[in-house]
Amino acid sequence: MSSAGGSNPEYVTARVRARKSVLYGDEEYRKLIRMGPAEISRFMEESDYETEINALGARHSGVDLIEYALNRNLAKQFDDLLRWADGRLYDLIARYLRKFDAWNVKTVIRGIYSEADREAISDDLIRAGEFDEELLDQLLDAPSIEDVVDRLSGTIFGPGLEDAYDDYEETGVLVPLENAIDRTYYEHLLEDLVVDEATQQYREFLEAEIDFRNARNALRLAQSGADIDPAEYYIDGGSLFSASELATLAQNRDELVTAIRESKYGDDLSAALDELETAESLINFERALDIALLEYTDALGHVFPLSITPIASYILAKEREVDNIRAIARGREAGLSEEQIEQELVIL
């Protein structure tokens, strides 16, 4: 569909509800954790991934087959959203799906930083944003992070990355570059967003995403030990923290959790915040944040169902499904125990 004309939220949200109803739940994940890669592929073939498994099964096997099927299915699902949508709704969805451009840039930068090979980096890309295959190939072929920044000069991410590159060189940590990517994404997402009845809950959802992203980035900065003021990497658009408050809270996780609990998110996120308080590592803390955002977005989607919020909620839930299946397949291949794999999953 095109971005011209009127929106059609009733049609799109009805299609999204149907898609969301067949996403994997606790029962499916409990089965998958006990399976090897070949069994996982067969299980996927009997679900929404049938087309992708059948199309790719002659060329790939094991974890490779699972990875390629997941990526292809994810891109198809989100392409369908744009195909179904009209007018203003199309524009809102297209802007939100730029998150995968942001993900892909960060994935390439992280891969080069960790000296991963090209194929491993490519396998982690999600081809569901605006970047075409030619640009993604150029990024994958870049020999250095500086070259990645240069090759993105003609995109929305170019200016912010150029400004952040000196901080990256000075500190040796990726936080300045990753934060520049997030800042650019949210700035363009919120740009010219007209807030009315149809987008009020969506604006609240974006505020929550930004609040949680700020919390995540501040904690990463604090843990990195780099001499960087978290306030310098604050993303505008949230409602929970000011830049100065966040810089202070980043030094004390308990106070950060308390601030969230006493905020507008507290009632909806009580269970997730309990987990945040007991998380033993930053990874567990971030996973609990992901669960909290899923719960909050799902709740907002029921408040005003004929808006983009249920669609954004589905996008998040579908991402988590793909991430969970990938984590299970990789964990089984690596010989991790069921308990270790379970710790990697984000499940409501």
Side-chain angles (χ1 to χ4, degrees), residues 124-163:
D124 282 337
L125 298 184
I126 300 174
R127 292 166 166 82
E130 290 185 335
F131 287 2
D132 58 25
E133 290 296 323
E134 181 180 1
L135 177 55
L136 290 175
D137 283 339
Q138 288 176 5
L139 297 180
L140 288 167
D141 290 336
S144 68
I145 291 176
E146 185 175 13
D147 282 296
V148 172
V149 173
D150 288 341
R151 295 176 191 198
L152 289 167
S153 61
T155 72
I156 63 171
F157 300 103
L161 283 171
E162 290 170 8
D163 291 342

Side-chain angles (χ1 to χ4, degrees), residues 86-210:
D86 276 329
R88 183 187 185 193
L89 184 61
Y90 176 98
D91 180 62
L92 291 171
I93 294 172
R95 286 191 188 202
Y96 189 70
L97 290 176
R98 284 180 184 159
K99 70 185 298 181
F100 298 109
D101 294 328
W103 164 265
N104 289 336
V105 175
K106 286 192 274 190
T107 298
V108 171
I109 288 173
R110 290 168 183 166
I112 294 173
Y113 184 81
S114 63
E115 300 182 347
D117 62 51
R118 186 187 193 281
E119 183 178 0
I121 300 171
S122 180
D123 286 347
D124 282 337
L125 298 184
I126 300 174
R127 292 166 166 82
E130 290 185 335
F131 287 2
D132 58 25
E133 290 296 323
E134 181 180 1
L135 177 55
L136 290 175
D137 283 339
Q138 288 176 5
L139 297 180
L140 288 167
D141 290 336
S144 68
I145 291 176
E146 185 175 13
D147 282 296
V148 172
V149 173
D150 288 341
R151 295 176 191 198
L152 289 167
S153 61
T155 72
I156 63 171
F157 300 103
L161 283 171
E162 290 170 8
D163 291 342
Y165 188 76
D166 287 343
D167 283 342
Y168 158 69
E169 282 204 310
E170 182 179 335
T171 63
V173 298
L174 293 180
V175 174
L177 296 174
E178 294 186 349
N179 185 263
I181 294 166
D182 290 334
R183 270 179 147 171
T184 298
Y185 168 67
Y186 285 110
E187 284 172 1
H188 283 78
L189 192 60
L190 295 171
E191 189 177 46
D192 301 324
L193 176 64
V194 177
V195 178
D196 54 22
E197 186 180 26
T199 58
Q200 177 59 43
Q201 277 72 33
Y202 178 54
R203 182 65 177 83
E204 291 180 20
F205 157 67
L206 295 181
E207 285 180 359
E209 263 205 351
I210 293 169

Side-chain angles (χ1 to χ4, degrees), residues 10-20 80 83-84:
E10 297 91 346
Y11 174 73
V12 180
T13 52
R15 299 295 298 264
V16 163
R17 280 197 297 272
R19 289 280 175 94
K20 196 171 184 180
D80 284 346
R83 184 168 55 84
W84 297 334

